[in-house]
Amino acid sequence: MNWLTNVVRPKIRSILKRETPENLWIKCPDSGQLVFYKDVEQNQFVIPGSNYHMRMGAVARLKSIFDNETWFDVALPEVTPDPLKFRDERKYADRIKDARTKTGMNDAVKVGYGKLEGNAVVVAVQDFDFMGGSLGMAAGEAVVKGLELAVEKKSPFIIFAASGGARMQEGILSLMQMPRTTVAIQMLREIGQPYIVVLTNPTTGGVTASYAMLGDVQIAEPGALIGFAGARVIEQTIREKLPEGFQRAEYLKEHGMVDMVVHRHDLRATLGRLCRLLTKAPAAESFTTAAPLPPDVPAVASPA
């Protein structure tokens, strides 16, 4: 045995070896530029050079919206995790467990209640990392619960949509969430409170066919893919080539499907201004102090 080759060299390599996190660098899908992850995170997950808006997790999104990064974590109803005992290549129950481990969420929608520029709002966020933000029973219950809370508190409701559509593993039970959420939106309208939708990349399928396109104000992030069916399916159906940029936020704004396209850095201020205008609430002087919390619901601060 060669002592220098087999003993000394491996020890030296182990000493000099540095552990590199997997997500240390991010490649911009638009320009191909490599960007330091921490820089992107501090820039609200917008690539500094190209302004490409990357997907944003539910906790990070709530943290960016609420005053003082503090909100109520709204308790959501429990639902049967695998009502149809569905199985394809894997059990649906196993897919749910993996998604919960990956995201730390119970399902695709997280709901928070707090203050936005001094005014109380309910915010729901779909996390695309949880099975593509698909709409199932649990996600539908979360949206309905958030809308019911907004009715109870007489406050605006804001939803950040990001979804591939209905969750096929739950069949008709998933499709039933479309009319349920529509009815809950009508309840909010009947008390005169605004329902604001922020369309993020991507928002497609049954979510687009229901609550994602029913907002009093429709906002989209730059470059977001928004539609029902995929572009290839549409082209094969109508046997025509689609226009450039079809189903993107800017194209939809030009054709009246979206009210405004707002950069993520301006989104919080835009939402705060809309909530004040639509509820005729006075402008608050300072938003640095967290909202007082009711004694029966603990405050939840997003992790650093």
Side-chain angles (χ1 to χ4, degrees):
M1 181 179 73
N2 189 321
W3 182 76
L4 287 173
T5 302
N6 298 333
V7 179
V8 176
R9 186 177 293 174
K11 285 188 175 181
I12 293 174
R13 284 178 178 171
S14 65
I15 292 171
L16 295 177
K17 185 179 179 181
R18 297 177 61 185
E19 294 294 331
T20 305
E22 292 183 4
N23 64 345
L24 185 63
W25 296 90
I26 292 177
K27 185 177 181 179
C28 175
D30 186 33
S31 64
Q33 173 190 8
L34 283 175
V35 188
F36 192 45
Y37 176 81
K38 287 293 183 183
D39 291 342
V40 178
E41 185 179 33
Q42 292 173 4
N43 202 40
Q44 295 187 28
F45 294 93
V46 178
I47 303 295
S50 64
N51 259 337
Y52 182 87
H53 284 53
M54 301 194 68
R55 292 179 190 138
M56 200 171 184
V59 173
R61 183 72 75 173
L62 293 173
K63 181 179 178 181
S64 70
I65 295 299
F66 285 116
D67 294 349
N68 207 30
E69 301 176 1
T70 304
W71 66 89
F72 312 143
D73 232 355
V74 178
L76 304 176
E78 291 289 336
V79 300
T80 305
D82 186 7
L84 303 181
K85 306 300 179 187
F86 190 90
R87 177 172 186 145
D88 42 47
E89 294 178 353
R90 297 175 59 204
K91 290 182 179 179
Y92 175 47
D94 293 338
R95 294 184 185 275
I96 288 286
K97 288 178 184 177
D98 290 347
R100 287 175 176 174
T101 302
K102 176 184 177 182
T103 63
M105 295 173 58
N106 189 58
D107 208 88
V109 177
K110 189 176 184 66
V111 182
Y113 173 66
K115 292 290 184 80
L116 169 59
E117 295 196 346
N119 297 308
V121 295
V122 179
V123 180
V125 182
Q126 280 185 283
D127 196 325
F128 194 83
D129 286 340
F130 195 104
M131 297 188 69
S134 50
L135 176 62
M137 291 174 62
E141 286 286 354
V143 175
V144 171
K145 176 65 176 179
L147 285 161
E148 289 176 342
L149 180 63
V151 171
E152 178 188 340
K153 301 293 184 181
K154 293 182 172 57
S155 64
F157 184 87
I158 302 168
I159 187 165
F160 290 84
S163 178
R167 190 170 298 175
M168 67 172 189
Q169 292 91 340
E170 296 184 17
I172 190 64
L173 299 174
S174 172
L175 298 178
M176 285 171 60
Q177 309 312 310
M178 297 166 64
R180 290 185 71 243
T181 52
T182 302
V183 171
I185 292 168
Q186 184 59 33
M187 291 168 53
L188 186 69
R189 290 217 171 99
E190 287 175 358
I191 66 165
Q193 289 298 322
Y195 173 66
I196 301 173
V197 179
V198 181
L199 302 163
T200 69
N201 185 43
T203 303
T204 60
V207 169
T208 309
S210 55
Y211 58 84
M213 299 303 289
L214 295 176
D216 297 313
V217 180
Q218 296 284 141
I219 301 173
E221 289 191 329
L225 174 66
I226 304 161
F228 180 71
R232 184 173 59 182
V233 174
I234 297 173
E235 286 183 338
Q236 290 173 350
T237 302
I238 66 175
R239 301 179 186 277
E240 291 183 15
K241 186 70 176 175
L242 295 174
E244 186 177 351
F246 182 77
Q247 291 186 325
R248 294 292 173 177
E250 292 77 10
Y251 182 93
L252 267 64
K253 180 179 180 297
E254 290 176 5
H255 291 78
M257 296 294 291
V258 170
D259 294 311
M260 59 182 79
V261 177
V262 181
H263 193 285
R264 192 172 290 167
H265 293 168
D266 303 323
L267 196 52
R268 173 181 154 84
T270 300
L271 290 171
R273 184 168 64 253
L274 283 172
C275 288
R276 289 196 303 273
L277 288 172
L278 295 174
T279 60
K280 299 180 181 179
E285 294 181 359
S286 175
F287 317 124
T288 57
T289 305
L293 309 179
D296 58 332
V297 183
V300 178
S302 58

